[in-house]
Amino acid sequence: MTAPDYAALEDELRDLLGPRGVSSDMRQREKASVDGARMSPIIAEMLPLGIADLVAFPTTAQEIAGVVGLAARHGVAITPRGKGTGNYGQAIPMPGGLVLDTSRARTIVEVGDGWITADAGAPMNALEAAARATGQQLWMYPSTVHTTVGGFLAGGSGGTGTIAHGSNDAGFVVALDVATPASEGALRHVADDEAQGYVHNYGTAGIIARATVRLEPLQDWRGLYASFPDFSGALSVLRTLGRMTPAPRLVSADTPHITAQLPPDEAFPAGRSSLRMIADIRILEEAIAVIEQAGGRIEDVREGPGVSTAISVLSYNHPIEWLQKSEPGVYFHVEVSGDALVERIDEVHAVYPGGQLHIEAGHSVPIGMLAGVYESPEAVYAGIERLGELGVGVHNPHQWNVDFRLGETVELARRTDPHGLLNPGKLNPDYAGPTKGAIR
């Protein structure tokens, strides 16, 4: 096959995007070719996995579609990128080609009654702020609150708000405008069930250029900080707190060891297990009573527009990142779920040396991040099997294959991307490992 003419493509992209809208500079290409995959020691040992030949920076949804159309006509691989905060290597351009950086397409198009529309690069915290200005809030947003809406939908799954609404494929998306090689530079509008086909598959079937997601009436939130003498105390109340009505926006807890690695805060007393909750003011007194009856201590109750964000950025995998920073090169993690996280915690911790669990009150069962001392890939995979035997659902964050609705994505991509140009290396029809669907 003839190698793509990258010089010609660069010229065409410059005509479309302007002189600052495309780059072949090596430093820029290297920067655009990494994401948060170093969080995985297994993937980190394989890096670099690919270096982009070009990087494009569209500023509108229409320009995103135009970039896809030009690259497809040149037969160039296209790897979409938001803020590069994904942890599995989803945004690494394995065959080279073009990285399509959507982070400059930040326009919030419109806020309606129960919905908000924005271009793919709009940060989730900007959407939340725009919603608040109209007396509304997002159904959910990720723990990395500055990540883009396109990145969250294509690579993320849940976060603050998941207790009430589940993962981001469960009704959060109203409609999408997507760009595919088959659409030849035009946007394709998809809505409702059809739109779900483009969620959490890393842009392998279509690149999200614009999204409309759901809002709900704004609630009066409080940030509740509590602590327990040990982790068992926090575990004993986590499910009860998560099932209160109206549902809390988030309930997170950490072992004393993980708590000690979090950013300094008077609400994290030394030697104790931290529990944090974003609680509707209507359940605040009830939540405090539950915690105190279980032997917990209220450390602080905070209010104001920044409360949700402050607790959100210490949820999901962020405490594990702080743990890894405290002891570089020691810890890895897997994503886990199930009531066994509470009911069989000693066995769960014992699966890996130095086991430490960060836990969340999930939509149906607790979910969390199990950290352990890294020994080898084989030990990680053996531990995943053991967790399954304990009744724990596992998602493996040490691989980059699409692992959610795989068969449906393969079929969709055959129509939208017949030549396999979208994020090559990520859509493996034969993948048979743990799936994202195990974490709900």
Side-chain angles (χ1 to χ4, degrees):
M1 296 179 63
T2 304
D5 188 341
Y6 285 106
L9 175 58
E10 184 174 8
D11 288 341
E12 292 176 29
L13 289 171
R14 189 172 289 110
D15 290 340
L16 174 67
L17 306 175
R20 301 184 64 184
V22 60
S23 178
S24 56
D25 176 75
M26 178 55 76
R27 288 175 298 178
Q28 191 68 64
R29 289 158 52 196
E30 290 176 341
K31 181 180 178 181
S33 298
V34 296
D35 61 7
R38 289 193 180 277
M39 193 172 181
S40 162
I42 294 176
I43 297 178
E45 291 170 358
M46 304 177 187
L47 297 176
L49 286 165
I51 300 293
D53 293 280
L54 290 173
V55 187
F57 302 95
T59 60
T60 67
Q62 291 78 11
E63 286 184 353
I64 291 172
V67 170
V68 172
L70 289 175
R73 283 195 285 276
H74 282 271
V76 170
I78 309 159
T79 301
R81 176 185 175 88
K83 286 289 185 66
T85 58
N87 300 314
Y88 319 141
Q90 310 103 306
I92 294 177
M94 292 182 176
L98 174 77
V99 165
L100 198 169
D101 186 320
T102 65
S103 64
R104 296 183 188 176
R106 298 189 290 263
T107 299
I108 295 175
V109 179
E110 188 176 3
V111 182
D113 183 8
W115 53 270
I116 184 170
T117 299
D119 286 351
M124 294 299 293
N125 55 352
L127 268 68
E128 175 79 348
R132 287 182 63 90
T134 66
Q136 300 181 90
Q137 63 191 26
L138 287 168
W139 263 27
M140 68 186 69
Y141 59 81
S143 54
T144 309
V145 297
H146 64 276
T147 197
T148 65
V149 62
F152 175 51
L153 296 179
S157 57
T160 300
T162 281
I163 293 174
H165 298 297
S167 53
N168 62 3
D169 63 286
F172 179 52
V173 177
V174 177
L176 300 172
D177 290 312
V178 297
T180 74
S183 66
E184 298 181 339
L187 290 171
R188 181 166 184 265
H189 187 75
V190 293
D192 302 322
D193 289 345
E194 189 178 6
Q196 308 314 313
Y198 299 90
V199 175
H200 200 74
N201 56 24
Y202 316 154
T204 55
I207 294 174
I208 297 169
R210 179 173 289 159
T212 300
V213 296
R214 294 195 189 279
L215 305 178
E216 61 191 353
L218 182 64
Q219 292 169 254
D220 190 1
W221 298 110
R222 294 294 184 270
L224 175 59
Y225 293 77
S227 71
F228 289 82
D230 54 37
F231 194 44
S232 63
L235 292 180
S236 72
V237 300
L238 181 117
R239 288 180 292 185
T240 299
L241 296 173
R243 291 168 183 160
M244 287 183 173
T245 303
R249 222 173 182 195
L250 192 76
V251 183
S252 300
D254 289 295
T255 65
H257 183 68
I258 294 178
T259 300
Q261 318 313 320
L262 300 179
D265 191 309
E266 292 180 355
F268 305 148
R272 292 176 68 88
S273 173
S274 170
L275 183 144
R276 304 167 298 278
M277 181 178 183
I278 304 174
D280 188 295
I281 194 171
R282 290 169 287 179
I283 63 168
L284 185 61
E285 289 187 9
E286 181 185 0
I288 289 173
V290 167
I291 290 167
E292 291 181 337
Q293 288 168 10
R297 188 172 73 202
I298 305 305
E299 301 295 342
D300 203 357
V301 177
R302 299 172 184 174
E303 59 182 292
V307 162
S308 285
T309 298
I311 293 182
S312 297
V313 298
L314 296 178
S315 65
Y316 286 76
N317 63 1
H318 285 229
I320 305 304
E321 290 181 312
W322 284 104
L323 180 65
Q324 289 182 327
K325 289 176 183 177
S326 71
E327 299 179 64
V330 175
Y331 288 99
F332 76 100
H333 82 289
V334 293
E335 299 179 13
V336 290
S337 72
D339 288 315
L341 299 180
V342 173
E343 296 164 2
R344 307 181 73 171
I345 184 58
D346 291 339
E347 293 170 275
V348 170
H349 274 162
V351 167
Y352 294 116
Q356 299 284 331
L357 179 68
H358 165 81
I359 194 167
E360 304 275 346
H363 181 59
S364 56
V365 295
I367 58 180
M369 309 288 163
L370 177 62
V373 174
Y374 180 65
E375 296 177 323
S376 68
E378 292 75 20
V380 172
Y381 303 139
I384 289 174
E385 290 189 18
R386 174 60 181 148
L387 287 166
E389 294 169 359
L390 293 174
V392 175
V394 180
H395 169 247
N396 178 11
H398 307 286
Q399 59 83 33
W400 47 78
N401 293 289
V402 171
D403 57 358
F404 180 66
R405 294 178 178 169
L406 175 59
E408 297 171 36
T409 301
V410 169
E411 289 301 316
L412 179 59
R414 284 175 179 158
R415 302 191 301 273
T416 60
D417 182 28
H419 301 295
L421 297 176
L422 295 180
N423 212 352
K426 315 297 169 49
L427 187 57
N428 174 12
D430 298 321
Y431 174 75
T435 64
K436 190 70 176 179
I439 307 296
R440 313 313 287 158

